[in-house]
């Protein structure tokens, strides 16, 4: 199985409290496994506040809904041994 790498990393975002924000990270291969999103070192799950999806097979997205001050911090996307942060 080929090593999946990050082609296009996360970008820093500034949003207002109550808004939604979307982070995108493009990987080198479709159907990447061993993928994880974190906020402040806490693993995120797909739920009503965090929408985690994959577009076109390679673009992994995380949308945080109605952000609050508690959402301030570092977002990390990891695939295998590769990580991108914003």
């Amino acid at each position: 199985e080929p090593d999946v790498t990050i082609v296009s990393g996360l970008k820093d975002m500034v949003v207002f409290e109550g808004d939604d924000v979307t982070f995108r990270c493009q990987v080198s291969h479709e159907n990447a496994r061993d993928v994880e999103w974190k906020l402040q070192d806490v693993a995120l799950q797909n739920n009503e506040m965090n929408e985690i999806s994959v577009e076109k097979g390679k673009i992994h997205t995380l949308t945080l809904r109605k952000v609050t001050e508690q959402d301030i911090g570092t977002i990390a996307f990891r695939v295998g041994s590769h990580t991108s942060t914003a």
Side-chain angles (χ1 to χ4, degrees):
E1 191 167 297
D3 186 30
V4 178
T5 60
I6 294 172
V7 175
S8 174
L10 299 176
K11 304 212 176 353
D12 291 342
M13 305 290 278
V14 176
V15 293
F16 292 102
E17 192 168 24
D19 285 353
D20 295 350
V21 60
T22 300
F23 295 90
R24 287 182 177 80
C25 200
Q26 183 175 348
V27 299
S28 58
H29 296 79
E30 292 187 8
N31 304 319
R33 285 183 234 150
D34 193 23
V35 170
E36 184 177 48
W37 286 97
K38 286 185 174 182
L39 171 59
Q40 297 290 59
D41 285 331
V42 176
L44 298 175
Q45 304 298 322
N46 198 16
N47 58 36
E48 66 277 353
M49 298 307 291
N50 312 316
E51 182 182 322
I52 297 171
S53 62
V54 180
E55 300 171 0
K56 298 178 188 164
K58 295 183 183 179
I59 301 170
H60 292 255
T61 64
L62 165 67
T63 300
L64 302 178
R65 305 233 177 263
K66 298 183 175 75
V67 296
T68 67
E69 277 190 37
Q70 286 76 37
D71 296 318
I72 292 173
T74 301
I75 291 284
F77 172 83
R78 181 188 60 78
V79 57
S81 61
H82 305 281
T83 303
S84 178
T85 59

